[in-house]
Amino acid sequence: MALRLFQKKDKTINFTITDEAIRFVELRQSDPLLIEKFGERKLPEGMIVRGDIVKIDELQDVIDNMVDEWKLKNRNIRFTIPDRYVAIREEKVDRDLTLDEIKNFFFMQIGSTIHLPFDEPVFDVVVTGYEENKQSVLLVAAPEQVVEDYMGVFEHARLKPIAADIAPLALYRLFHSFDRTNDSAHELLIHLKSNVMTLSIFHGHQLKFMKPVFIEKSEDVLDMEDADGSGDLADALSELDKVVNFYENSVHGGQVKIERILFTGDHPQRSFVEEFINKSFDIPVETDEQMKMDTKQNEWLPPAFLAAVGLALKDG
């Protein structure tokens, strides 16, 4: 299925859906950033579970009501795919292939020489660099059925999905727009939501690694002394060091180091996690608190909406 994962249209509504909430952002302008409107609906537990739509009729009612309340009917939209269902691969192809030829190549090779953790994917490709007779290409894929399920609830609500994206790319795009990224550094982006911490690594402004770590409970870690104990948040935090070690040593043979951390999120224990990161790693940390933007309503935009803002900034 040829869905564009990285397309942009002006005046498009930008949606993120998590297990806990549906949120949207519309930009009035991007330079400087000005938010035209934003809104959210909290979701009851069990409606969406780890990205799976469990109660589709109830979710449909929520989206229908949002569209009516904020007068969004018949608008073009972008939306993010749940982190759990995103697979990325970096591949090298012949330098003289056009973008369409690259897509046709992957269409033929997925399932034979290129293996993904699901069948019948939708995918998009981004050329990330060139060397001699080859070009490096990032393949981003997701299960077609999952994408269609999300598209379906939007289309039923008289919205027009034109593009899907992934939250790590959207958030990195936002950090980059505030000049908080570094082209030469290996950067770890930590996106901390209430039930999942997604760890993504970028180099040369390109996504190189992505791993969601689920958190079942939010109350496990209350202070630094508890960080080495058992519990889902503590377990998730232990993955930080494992991911850094894996990337530096297993992937790159000890030849590179994570040099920067980008931190964002709306987890109820965000302040503790930020403190843990600063004390555990001798690495500069950039947080979303340094990214201020205005809204038409002169309201503070909570961190939970930043992925939707980054989604709105996508070019091409």
Side-chain angles (χ1 to χ4, degrees):
M1 176 182 177
L3 175 71
R4 284 297 306 275
L5 293 179
F6 303 106
Q7 189 176 355
K8 179 185 171 98
K9 298 286 187 180
D10 290 337
K11 295 298 182 183
T12 298
I13 307 298
N14 304 276
F15 276 92
T16 63
I17 302 184
T18 68
D19 291 6
E20 295 77 32
I22 305 174
R23 300 180 177 96
F24 77 90
V25 165
E26 179 186 359
L27 290 191
R28 169 171 283 197
Q29 62 187 44
S30 59
D31 188 18
L33 271 173
L34 178 62
I35 309 301
E36 175 73 19
K37 67 174 70 170
F38 66 98
E40 73 174 345
R41 279 288 180 271
K42 298 293 186 181
L43 300 179
E45 185 175 356
M47 185 175 291
I48 299 178
V49 178
R50 293 193 174 191
D52 287 331
I53 302 175
V54 177
K55 300 177 180 178
I56 194 166
D57 291 340
E58 288 87 342
L59 178 64
Q60 188 68 68
D61 289 341
V62 173
I63 295 177
D64 289 347
N65 289 333
M66 289 182 72
V67 169
D68 289 341
E69 178 175 348
W70 277 289
K71 298 178 173 59
L72 305 177
K73 190 174 293 184
N74 297 318
R75 299 291 297 276
N76 290 341
I77 70 160
R78 306 180 194 88
F79 64 98
T80 54
I81 300 166
D83 293 348
R84 171 189 175 189
Y85 287 113
V86 176
I88 65 170
R89 297 284 188 275
E90 192 169 33
E91 302 284 344
K92 295 186 184 299
V93 299
D94 291 341
R95 183 165 182 151
D96 59 355
L97 292 181
T98 67
L99 190 59
D100 285 340
E101 289 172 335
I102 293 171
K103 291 178 181 179
N104 289 333
F105 169 79
F106 282 121
F107 182 79
M108 298 298 295
Q109 296 303 315
I110 288 175
S112 56
T113 63
I114 299 175
H115 298 286
L116 297 172
F118 40 77
D119 298 323
E120 299 183 2
V122 292
F123 66 90
D124 204 355
V125 296
V126 179
V127 176
T128 60
Y130 299 91
E131 54 182 67
E132 296 182 353
N133 298 321
K134 296 290 184 180
Q135 52 185 319
S136 298
V137 178
L138 180 69
L139 168 69
V140 182
E144 181 178 9
Q145 188 58 57
V146 171
V147 176
E148 287 186 344
D149 287 346
Y150 279 91
M151 287 179 61
V153 292
F154 288 126
E155 290 171 341
H156 186 277
R158 305 285 183 87
L159 297 171
K160 302 174 182 178
I162 60 166
D165 203 345
I166 63 178
L169 288 177
L171 288 165
Y172 188 86
R173 192 178 304 128
L174 184 61
F175 273 97
H176 183 67
S177 74
F178 280 87
D179 198 27
R180 300 295 179 182
T181 63
N182 187 307
D183 179 70
S184 63
H186 295 263
E187 303 170 296
L188 172 63
L189 171 64
I190 302 173
H191 186 199
L192 184 71
K193 294 178 283 187
S194 62
N195 74 329
V196 64
M197 177 177 67
T198 300
L199 307 175
S200 308
I201 297 176
F202 291 79
H203 179 58
H205 302 319
Q206 302 297 335
L207 180 61
K208 302 295 184 180
F209 176 91
M210 177 179 170
K211 179 179 182 180
V213 182
F214 285 95
I215 306 166
E216 296 300 336
K217 295 177 286 185
S218 298
E219 66 276 11
D220 298 299
V221 180
L222 300 177
D223 53 49
M224 290 302 293
E225 286 71 25
D226 291 329
D228 293 328
S230 63
D232 291 299
L233 182 53
D235 291 342
L237 293 176
S238 72
E239 287 294 317
L240 281 170
D241 188 61
K242 294 177 184 177
V243 165
V244 170
N245 183 65
F246 172 79
Y247 182 79
E248 291 180 345
N249 298 305
S250 297
V251 176
H252 290 283
Q255 299 301 304
V256 307
K257 293 292 183 184
I258 297 296
E259 300 160 272
R260 295 163 57 82
I261 292 176
L262 311 175
F263 180 72
T264 183
D266 61 333
H267 190 281
Q269 294 199 47
R270 171 194 165 116
S271 60
F272 162 75
V273 174
E274 188 175 343
E275 180 186 5
F276 176 86
I277 293 167
N278 279 298
K279 290 186 176 182
S280 300
F281 298 93
D282 186 21
I283 302 173
V285 178
E286 296 278 356
T287 75
D288 56 24
E289 293 173 348
Q290 299 158 323
M291 300 188 295
K292 303 298 182 183
M293 60 197 75
D294 295 323
T295 69
K296 181 181 175 183
Q297 302 85 356
N298 293 318
E299 298 177 70
W300 175 68
L301 188 71
F305 289 88
L306 295 185
V309 177
L311 185 58
L313 294 177
K314 182 69 181 77
D315 293 323

